[in-house]
Amino acid sequence: MSEAPSLPNRQAILVDRAFTVLAWLLGATGIALPGVIIGFLAVRGLGVIDWAFLTSPPGGFPLGQAGGIGPALQGSLALVGIGLVVALPLAVGGALFLTEYNRFPALARIVRFATECLAAIPSIVYGLFGYAILVVFMSLKISLLAGGITLGLVMFPLILIGAQEALEAVSWQDREAALSLGVTRAYVVRRVVLRQAAPGILAITTLAAGHAFGSAAPVLFTASVIFSRGGLGLETPVMTLPTHLYFLVGEALSFEHAYGTALVLVGVLLIVNVLVVCLKGALRR
Amino acid sequence: MRFTTLAFFGFILLTGGAVADSKDGILRLGGSTTLLPVISKASSDFMERFDTWNRVDPSFPERDVVIFVSGGGSSFGVKSAINGTVEIGLVSRYLKNKEKTLLGEYRTFQVGTDAVAIAVNKDNPLARLRRGFSSDEMASIFSGAVRTYRDFDATLPDESIVLFVRDSGAGSAEMIQKLILHQRPVSSGALQLSSQGALLQKLNSNPRAVGYISSGLLLASDRLVGLALDGVRPSNENVINSRYPVVRPLMMVVKGEPGALARAFIDYVLGEHGQALVASLNYVPVGENYVPVGQK
Amino acid sequence: MRLLPGILSERLTWLFCLVSLLAGGATLILVAVFILREAAPTLFADGGLMALLFTDPWVPLAEPPLLGIGHAWISTLMITAISLGVAVPFGYGIGLFISDVAPTAVRSALQPCLDVLAGIPSVVYGFFGYVTLVPWFENHFAMATGESILAAGLILAVMVLPFIASTSAEAFRAIPGDLREAALAQGVTRWHAVRRVVVAQAAPGMFAAAALGLARAIGETLAVLMLAGNSVALPHSVLDRGQPLTALIATELGEAGVGSPKYHTLFAAAFVLIFVVVCINALVWAWKGRLIYRV
C-alpha cells in the first residue's frame, strides 16, 4: 500500500457500516427474489393444479380453456429423454477421452474453448439449425426425434464440461494405485474413475436435463405442435410444457391455466435442484 | 445412490423407447391461426368420436386416429404443405401465384369465410368519433402516416395510436396489405403478434389500440367495435354478399390429391358437425351461403 | 469378473471415447459451417453487409423484400445494456456479500436461492414479466402498451443476476484469506480491505462474471420475445418497442421458406449472434491466466 496505514477514522467506519447494510440488503434480495416469483405464481396457479390437470389433454372451446397439460408433460419428458440418449454417452465418452487418454494439452484447451462457446450459443440458434437440418433437410419433419436431437445438441456441451470437471476431480492417486495393481486402463476407468465421478456426472446431467426441459426455443420449430391428445411416437410432433405456456399466453386463452403451467414448470425445476443437491451430497461421502 | 442411478436410466429408457405404431394413421395440419380454434376442436371431437380409423370407414386400417394441429400463420401452412411437413395446410387468404407454382398439383377445400375487420376497443377515441371510416383513412393509420389520434382528427386526444398487427406470414396481414395498404408498408412501429387470439386479447385490454382481426373473433367479443370500411360493416351478411372489401376464404390446402384419411377428416369438417363448429365461432360456413374461392 | 479380455476391452473403451469426442467435434464443426454457409448469400452479397446491418429497414412484404436487421441488433444492444446495467452492480454486491459478509448459515441459504433463480425457465420469466411489469408500466407510465425494451431489460436483469453473483462470488472467494487478514491487521475497516484488496485482485474474475452475464443476455429468446413488443421499428428510447435478434429469428422462422432471402437473412442474424458470443468468450480466455487469483 502506498500510504502509511492509519486507524480508521469516523468516515471510514460509517462507509464500512453502509457497505455492510447494503450487502445485507442485496443478500436479502437474493434470497427473496425466487420466493417472490414462485410465490406469486403459486398464489394464482395452485388452485388449478390437480391430478386431472396433470394428466388430461386440453379441453374447452377454444382449446386450452379447460382440461389440462397431460400431453405437454409427456412430450417434454420424452424430448428430454431422447436428448439424453443422444447427448449423455457422447458427452461422457468425450470427457473420458480428454481426461484419460488424451496426450495433447492443446487439444484439451481447444475442445474446452469450443465447448464453452457452444454452451453460450443462444438456444434459438439451435432451433434454427435443427429446423434446417433435421426437419427439412433430413426430412424428419416436425417430430419428437428432431426435437429430441436438437435438445441433445443443447445439452451436450453442458454435460461435457461438467463430466470433465467431475472426472478431473478424481484424485490421481486412486488411478495410480489401481494401475499399480496391474489392471487395465479400461478397468480403472470403469471401476475407479467412473464410480467416483458418477454423482458429479449425474448432477450436471440432471441440471442440463432440467434446463432442456424448460427451454422452448429449440423445440418451437422442431417438435412442438399446439394441440395433440397423446399418441407419442418418434415421428410425431408433441406438445411441450414451455411451448404450451407460450401459446396459452399468446392466444390469451386462459390465464388461470397459464399460471398452472408455469407453476408445474417451476415445480419440475425445484425437483431438479433438490436432486442435484442430493447427488452432490453423495459426492462428499 | 444406486437407486437414483437406476431410476435415472430407467427414465431414459422409458421415454426414449416410447414408440406407438404411428407410421400411418397420423394427420398433421398447420397454418392459419384464424382456423386454429375450429380445426383443433374439430380434430379433438373427431378423435373422441372415432378411436381408430376403421371406425371412420371399414376399409381403413385399424390404427389409432392421431391428429396434430399447429398454428404459425397462413404462409407457414402453405410452405409446410409444399415441404410435405403437413398433410393439410390451413390458409386464410388466397394463394399466391408463386405458391401455386411451387405446389404444382393441389386441391383446396374451403371450409368457411370471414372478413378481416378493423377493430378497436369500445373506449377507443376513434370509436367514440364515428363508427365508419374510409379505406384511405385506415391506410393512413396502418401505414403510420398518422401517428396520433389528434393528427387524425383535431377533436381527439393527443395520444399515440398503438397498432397491433399479425406478423408477415399471416393471412390477415397479407389481405390487409394487398387490399387496404396497397403499396405502402405497414407502420414499423406496429406490434406484431403471433396469433389471432393474441390480437383479441390486446384489443380487448388496451383502449388506445387499433388493429385488424378476424370477424369471427370480433363478433364474439363484447368489448370490441368493428369499424365499417367505406360504409360497409364487417358483419356476416356483408361477407356473404361480398360487400365488405376484405373478405377471405378459410381453406384447407392439400398438395396433390388428399389421401383417404385426410379426405375423411376434410369431409368431417365440411360436414354437419364441422360446419356447426365453424358457425359457432361466428364464421360463415359453406353451404347455401357459399362464397366460392377464386373471387378476387 | 471379465466380460472381455483385457486388451480388447481396453481398445474398445479407447475407441468409444475417441469416437464420442470426434462426434461431438464433428457436430460443432457442422453447426458452424452450416450456419455460415446458409448465411453467406446475405453476408457476402455486394454491399450486403452494410445493408443488412445498417441501411435497410425490415419490410419483408415489400417488392423486392427489404431485410435489414439494424433494428434488431440495436434492440439487442439496448436490452442487454439495461439488463447488465442493473444486474452487474447487484451481482457484484451479492458476490461480495457471499464472500465477505455473510455468515455460513446465510451463505448456504443464499446459494440454493441463486440456483433456483438461475434455473427458472425463460418462458416463465417472460410470463411473469407479462403479468406484472407490463400492466404496471401501462398503468403508471401511461404507456400505450407496457411491452417495451425497458420491461424486457428489467426481467432479463433478474435472469442474468444469479450467474453474475455466483461467478463473482467464486472469484472473490478465491482470494486467499491471508491477504484480507494482512489488510485487517493494519487496522483498516472491512470495506477498505474488500475494496482495496479483494476487488482489486479479483478484477479479472469480475470481468469474467460480467462477460458471462453478457453472453446470457444476448442469447435470451422467449422472455424478450414476450416482453419487448416485437415491432420492426428502430427503437429510439427505452420505452419504445423493439425486436432483438433472437426474437426476430423466433418470429420469422416459421414463415421463411427454405432457401428464400429471408431464410438466409435469419441465418445471417444467427451468425451475428454466434460471432459476438465467440468474441466474448475469446476475450475472457485471453485473460484467463489472470482470472482466478493464483499465488
Side-chain angles (χ1 to χ4, degrees):
Chain A
M1 287 182 258
S2 48
E3 49 203 26
S6 56
L7 291 167
N9 57 21
R10 190 34 109 40
Q11 187 197 28
I13 294 185
L14 278 174
V15 170
D16 183 56
R17 294 260 164 82
F19 163 67
T20 311
V21 167
L22 189 59
W24 272 95
L25 273 176
L26 290 174
T29 318
I31 296 188
L33 260 178
V36 163
I37 296 179
I38 298 181
F40 181 82
L41 292 175
V43 158
R44 291 178 197 223
L46 212 49
V48 167
I49 299 183
D50 55 14
W51 187 250
F53 181 73
L54 290 174
T55 50
S56 41
F61 189 29
L63 280 174
Q65 283 176 330
I69 56 172
L73 205 49
Q74 256 187 336
S76 280
L77 286 172
L79 277 172
V80 172
I82 298 205
L84 283 175
V85 166
V86 169
L88 191 58
L90 290 180
V92 174
L96 272 175
F97 185 84
L98 287 173
T99 51
E100 304 293 323
Y101 296 109
N102 179 35
R103 292 197 206 142
F104 309 106
L107 179 65
R109 293 187 53 156
I110 295 177
V111 169
R112 182 62 181 244
F113 178 74
T115 318
E116 284 184 9
C117 287
L118 270 182
I121 286 181
S123 47
I124 187 69
V125 173
Y126 283 109
L128 178 64
F129 177 77
Y131 179 73
I133 288 229
L134 298 170
V135 173
V136 181
F137 181 70
M138 287 175 60
S139 296
L140 288 180
K141 302 198 184 183
I142 295 187
S143 62
L144 184 56
L145 190 58
I149 295 179
T150 311
L151 276 187
L153 284 176
V154 170
M155 290 194 276
F156 173 77
L158 299 172
I159 304 182
L160 182 59
I161 294 181
Q164 227 186 324
E165 288 181 357
L167 288 168
E168 278 168 7
V170 175
S171 67
W172 62 267
Q173 285 106 327
D174 291 344
R175 288 190 180 89
E176 293 295 317
L179 281 174
S180 72
L181 290 173
V183 296
T184 64
R185 201 70 196 254
Y187 185 91
V188 173
V189 163
R190 230 174 52 231
R191 296 299 214 107
V192 178
V193 176
L194 271 182
R195 182 163 290 187
Q196 275 197 35
I201 296 182
L202 276 179
I204 189 67
T205 309
T206 315
L207 270 177
H211 172 76
F213 186 87
S215 48
V219 295
L220 197 53
F221 294 105
T222 53
S224 86
V225 77
I226 291 194
F227 168 72
S228 83
R229 270 172 80 98
L232 215 54
L234 280 178
E235 310 98 36
T236 62
V238 289
M239 287 175 69
T240 79
L241 218 46
T243 55
H244 185 64
L245 177 58
Y246 175 60
F247 294 138
L248 277 181
V249 174
E251 305 268 336
L253 290 168
S254 162
F255 268 81
E256 244 185 14
H257 280 238
Y259 279 106
T261 313
L263 202 54
V264 171
L265 272 169
V266 167
V268 168
L269 155 81
L270 288 174
I271 295 177
V272 163
N273 270 26
V274 166
L275 269 177
V276 169
V277 167
C278 290
L279 285 167
K280 288 206 172 137
L283 190 63
R284 267 182 247 119
R285 269 186 249 120
Chain B
M1 179 59 221
R2 205 163 270 179
F3 173 71
T4 328
T5 326
L6 264 166
F8 197 79
F9 282 106
F11 164 82
I12 297 184
L13 281 171
L14 257 171
T15 53
V19 169
D21 65 13
S22 45
K23 259 296 176 180
D24 312 334
I26 304 177
L27 273 185
R28 301 153 200 268
L29 294 86
S32 161
T33 60
T34 306
L35 272 174
L36 187 59
V38 176
I39 301 293
S40 306
K41 181 69 171 150
S43 65
S44 172
D45 290 347
F46 189 80
M47 283 193 277
E48 183 113 14
R49 183 155 158 218
F50 305 111
D51 259 349
T52 53
W53 283 106
N54 59 344
R55 300 227 192 132
V56 179
D57 183 310
S59 67
F60 290 162
E62 192 186 334
R63 289 237 148 89
D64 287 340
V65 177
V66 180
I67 306 183
F68 295 104
V69 189
S70 274
S74 299
S75 294
F76 178 71
V78 177
K79 292 198 170 88
S80 303
I82 295 174
N83 288 341
T85 19
V86 298
E87 276 84 33
I88 303 177
L90 305 173
V91 187
S92 56
R93 56 166 167 78
Y94 299 103
L95 291 178
K96 298 189 235 186
N97 290 328
K98 210 166 49 158
E99 291 170 338
K100 293 184 189 171
T101 325
L102 286 170
L103 274 169
E105 291 280 314
Y106 68 94
R107 297 278 318 268
T108 59
F109 300 90
Q110 186 169 355
V111 304
T113 322
D114 83 337
V116 182
I118 313 287
V120 296
N121 194 291
K122 267 204 307 236
D123 299 320
N124 186 289
L126 284 178
R128 284 187 255 149
L129 182 66
R130 45 191 157 99
R131 291 296 169 100
F133 299 84
S134 73
S135 325
D136 286 329
E137 289 174 319
M138 281 298 125
S140 66
I141 289 185
F142 275 93
S143 64
V146 171
R147 292 207 167 261
T148 66
Y149 288 103
R150 176 149 302 168
D151 287 344
F152 187 77
D153 185 299
T155 64
L156 296 180
D158 187 24
E159 285 169 354
S160 35
I161 302 179
V162 185
L163 288 170
F164 287 105
V165 299
R166 285 278 290 114
D167 56 52
S168 54
S172 44
E174 297 251 8
M175 298 295 296
I176 291 286
Q177 178 72 49
K178 205 156 92 156
L179 297 174
I180 305 282
L181 286 168
H182 305 295
Q183 295 306 321
R184 304 152 82 172
V186 156
S187 161
S188 55
L191 278 90
Q192 298 179 58
L193 299 174
S194 58
S195 69
Q196 289 284 332
L199 273 174
L200 177 66
Q201 197 241 345
K202 282 294 176 185
L203 291 170
N204 266 342
S205 59
N206 194 325
R208 290 182 213 84
V210 178
Y212 51 75
I213 197 172
S214 148
S215 59
L217 289 174
L218 166 69
L219 294 169
S221 162
D222 54 358
R223 277 194 269 175
L224 293 185
V225 168
L227 303 175
L229 262 184
D230 297 328
V232 183
R233 292 188 52 246
S235 67
N236 278 346
E237 297 115 43
N238 288 331
V239 169
I240 294 170
N241 59 30
S242 294
R243 282 185 60 211
Y244 188 77
V246 193
V247 168
R248 55 178 184 160
L250 305 173
M251 309 192 285
M252 299 169 106
V253 160
V254 181
K255 183 172 178 177
E257 277 296 319
L261 304 181
R263 186 74 223 221
F265 182 67
I266 294 174
D267 288 337
Y268 179 80
V269 176
L270 287 173
E272 196 184 316
H273 185 81
Q275 291 297 299
L277 285 176
V278 170
S280 71
L281 277 189
N282 290 300
Y283 299 115
V284 176
V286 297
E288 330 98 47
N289 298 322
Y290 186 61
V291 181
V293 179
Q295 251 186 13
K296 300 243 168 138
Chain C
M1 191 170 29
R2 301 253 182 100
L3 290 165
L4 295 165
I7 288 295
L8 188 54
S9 91
E10 177 76 32
R11 288 284 152 169
L12 276 177
T13 312
W14 176 86
L15 192 63
F16 169 72
C17 293
L18 180 61
V19 165
S20 309
L21 188 65
L22 288 178
T27 316
L28 160 67
I29 297 178
L30 178 65
V31 170
V33 165
F34 184 75
I35 292 191
L36 192 54
R37 196 190 82 154
E38 293 297 334
T42 314
L43 287 177
F44 300 128
D46 12 67
L49 201 56
M50 284 301 288
L52 176 74
L53 291 178
F54 297 111
T55 42
D56 279 352
W58 181 269
V59 191
L61 289 178
E63 299 286 337
L66 291 172
L67 299 169
I69 59 174
H71 73 286
W73 67 261
I74 291 196
S75 297
T76 302
L77 210 59
M78 290 172 76
I79 293 181
T80 309
I82 294 178
S83 82
L84 285 185
V86 172
V88 162
F90 260 87
Y92 288 165
I94 295 184
L96 279 176
F97 177 73
I98 292 180
S99 68
D100 277 80
V101 178
T104 321
V106 176
R107 200 184 302 157
S108 36
L110 184 49
Q111 195 56 52
C113 287
L114 287 179
D115 289 339
V116 166
L117 213 52
I120 294 181
S122 169
V123 61
V124 173
Y125 272 115
F127 174 60
F128 180 74
Y130 192 74
V131 293
T132 52
L133 272 188
V134 169
W136 196 77
F137 276 21
E138 281 176 21
N139 295 333
H140 288 254
F141 291 168
M143 288 169 69
T145 169
E147 283 118 333
S148 56
I149 304 245
L150 186 60
L154 288 177
I155 292 290
L156 199 54
V158 176
M159 295 174 74
V160 161
L161 178 65
F163 296 100
I164 300 184
S166 297
T167 312
S168 62
E170 223 183 272
F172 292 139
R173 293 183 75 179
I175 313 286
D178 318 359
L179 284 180
R180 287 184 179 84
E181 284 172 21
L184 289 171
Q186 303 274 357
V188 297
T189 62
R190 180 167 61 183
W191 165 241
H192 191 105
V194 161
R195 185 163 62 107
R196 291 306 190 98
V197 176
V198 177
V199 172
Q201 292 288 341
M206 291 167 71
F207 173 74
L212 177 63
L214 176 61
R216 293 230 148 226
I218 288 183
E220 232 346 287
T221 310
L222 260 298
V224 299
L225 181 61
M226 294 164 85
L227 295 173
N230 226 23
S231 123
V232 300
L234 202 60
H236 292 290
S237 90
V238 295
L239 293 181
D240 275 345
R241 279 94 57 185
Q243 188 184 48
L245 284 166
T246 48
L248 173 69
I249 299 178
T251 306
E252 301 283 344
L253 179 55
E255 208 276 309
V258 175
S260 66
K262 187 188 282 194
Y263 178 80
H264 292 299
T265 309
L266 291 181
F267 272 91
F271 178 76
V272 169
L273 284 168
I274 295 183
F275 182 74
V276 171
V277 163
V278 170
C279 284
I280 295 176
N281 231 31
L283 260 177
V284 170
W285 269 62
W287 287 23
K288 194 152 203 195
R290 305 175 51 208
L291 273 186
I292 308 291
Y293 180 90
R294 298 228 173 85
V295 177

mmCIF file of all heavy atoms in Angstrom, chain C residues 15 22 39 76 88 116 138-139 197 228 281:
data_model
loop_
_atom_site.group_PDB
_atom_site.id
_atom_site.type_symbol
_atom_site.label_atom_id
_atom_site.label_comp_id
_atom_site.label_asym_id
_atom_site.label_seq_id
_atom_site.Cartn_x
_atom_site.Cartn_y
_atom_site.Cartn_z
ATOM 1 N N LEU C 15 -11.552 -46.586 -28.081
ATOM 2 C CA LEU C 15 -12.181 -46.268 -29.355
ATOM 3 C C LEU C 15 -13.505 -45.533 -29.138
ATOM 4 O O LEU C 15 -13.790 -44.537 -29.781
ATOM 5 C CB LEU C 15 -12.418 -47.565 -30.145
ATOM 6 C CG LEU C 15 -12.801 -47.335 -31.605
ATOM 7 C CD1 LEU C 15 -11.662 -46.643 -32.326
ATOM 8 C CD2 LEU C 15 -13.117 -48.656 -32.278
ATOM 9 N N LEU C 22 -14.948 -37.259 -31.288
ATOM 10 C CA LEU C 22 -14.999 -36.858 -32.687
ATOM 11 C C LEU C 22 -16.419 -36.500 -33.101
ATOM 12 O O LEU C 22 -16.637 -35.542 -33.836
ATOM 13 C CB LEU C 22 -14.455 -37.989 -33.579
ATOM 14 C CG LEU C 22 -12.950 -38.170 -33.488
ATOM 15 C CD1 LEU C 22 -12.497 -39.342 -34.349
ATOM 16 C CD2 LEU C 22 -12.228 -36.904 -33.922
ATOM 17 N N ALA C 39 -25.783 -18.475 -44.250
ATOM 18 C CA ALA C 39 -25.811 -17.020 -44.088
ATOM 19 C C ALA C 39 -25.066 -16.328 -45.207
ATOM 20 O O ALA C 39 -25.247 -15.130 -45.439
ATOM 21 C CB ALA C 39 -25.184 -16.638 -42.749
ATOM 22 N N THR C 76 -31.219 -5.519 -29.387
ATOM 23 C CA THR C 76 -30.410 -6.408 -28.539
ATOM 24 C C THR C 76 -29.471 -5.590 -27.672
ATOM 25 O O THR C 76 -29.339 -5.825 -26.472
ATOM 26 C CB THR C 76 -29.595 -7.371 -29.412
ATOM 27 O OG1 THR C 76 -30.470 -8.118 -30.236
ATOM 28 C CG2 THR C 76 -28.793 -8.315 -28.550
ATOM 29 N N VAL C 88 -25.241 -6.151 -13.092
ATOM 30 C CA VAL C 88 -23.823 -6.217 -12.723
ATOM 31 C C VAL C 88 -23.559 -5.637 -11.331
ATOM 32 O O VAL C 88 -22.950 -6.312 -10.489
ATOM 33 C CB VAL C 88 -22.954 -5.554 -13.815
ATOM 34 C CG1 VAL C 88 -21.586 -5.231 -13.281
ATOM 35 C CG2 VAL C 88 -22.829 -6.478 -15.004
ATOM 36 N N VAL C 116 -31.921 -21.621 -7.848
ATOM 37 C CA VAL C 116 -33.311 -21.669 -8.299
ATOM 38 C C VAL C 116 -33.581 -20.550 -9.292
ATOM 39 O O VAL C 116 -34.169 -20.744 -10.350
ATOM 40 C CB VAL C 116 -34.271 -21.560 -7.094
ATOM 41 C CG1 VAL C 116 -35.685 -21.274 -7.559
ATOM 42 C CG2 VAL C 116 -34.239 -22.824 -6.275
ATOM 43 N N GLU C 138 -48.170 -0.004 -18.022
ATOM 44 C CA GLU C 138 -49.293 0.642 -18.698
ATOM 45 C C GLU C 138 -50.032 1.573 -17.764
ATOM 46 O O GLU C 138 -50.489 2.635 -18.152
ATOM 47 C CB GLU C 138 -50.245 -0.424 -19.262
ATOM 48 C CG GLU C 138 -49.741 -1.017 -20.557
ATOM 49 C CD GLU C 138 -50.629 -2.139 -21.049
ATOM 50 O OE1 GLU C 138 -51.794 -2.203 -20.638
ATOM 51 O OE2 GLU C 138 -50.139 -2.951 -21.841
ATOM 52 N N ASN C 139 -50.144 1.156 -16.487
ATOM 53 C CA ASN C 139 -50.908 1.998 -15.575
ATOM 54 C C ASN C 139 -50.111 3.179 -15.064
ATOM 55 O O ASN C 139 -50.633 4.271 -14.913
ATOM 56 C CB ASN C 139 -51.379 1.167 -14.372
ATOM 57 C CG ASN C 139 -52.356 0.097 -14.804
ATOM 58 O OD1 ASN C 139 -53.028 0.263 -15.808
ATOM 59 N ND2 ASN C 139 -52.417 -0.987 -14.070
ATOM 60 N N VAL C 197 -8.272 -4.712 -1.521
ATOM 61 C CA VAL C 197 -7.586 -5.993 -1.690
ATOM 62 C C VAL C 197 -8.396 -6.967 -2.543
ATOM 63 O O VAL C 197 -7.981 -7.379 -3.614
ATOM 64 C CB VAL C 197 -7.285 -6.624 -0.311
ATOM 65 C CG1 VAL C 197 -6.658 -7.994 -0.492
ATOM 66 C CG2 VAL C 197 -6.394 -5.706 0.483
ATOM 67 N N ALA C 228 -40.637 -7.603 -25.284
ATOM 68 C CA ALA C 228 -40.039 -6.433 -25.924
ATOM 69 C C ALA C 228 -40.969 -5.766 -26.924
ATOM 70 O O ALA C 228 -40.685 -4.676 -27.372
ATOM 71 C CB ALA C 228 -38.730 -6.805 -26.612
ATOM 72 N N ASN C 281 -16.261 -14.864 -25.497
ATOM 73 C CA ASN C 281 -15.547 -15.995 -24.903
ATOM 74 C C ASN C 281 -14.048 -15.898 -25.127
ATOM 75 O O ASN C 281 -13.239 -16.198 -24.249
ATOM 76 C CB ASN C 281 -16.076 -17.295 -25.508
ATOM 77 C CG ASN C 281 -16.462 -18.282 -24.445
ATOM 78 O OD1 ASN C 281 -16.869 -17.895 -23.375
ATOM 79 N ND2 ASN C 281 -16.305 -19.548 -24.749
#
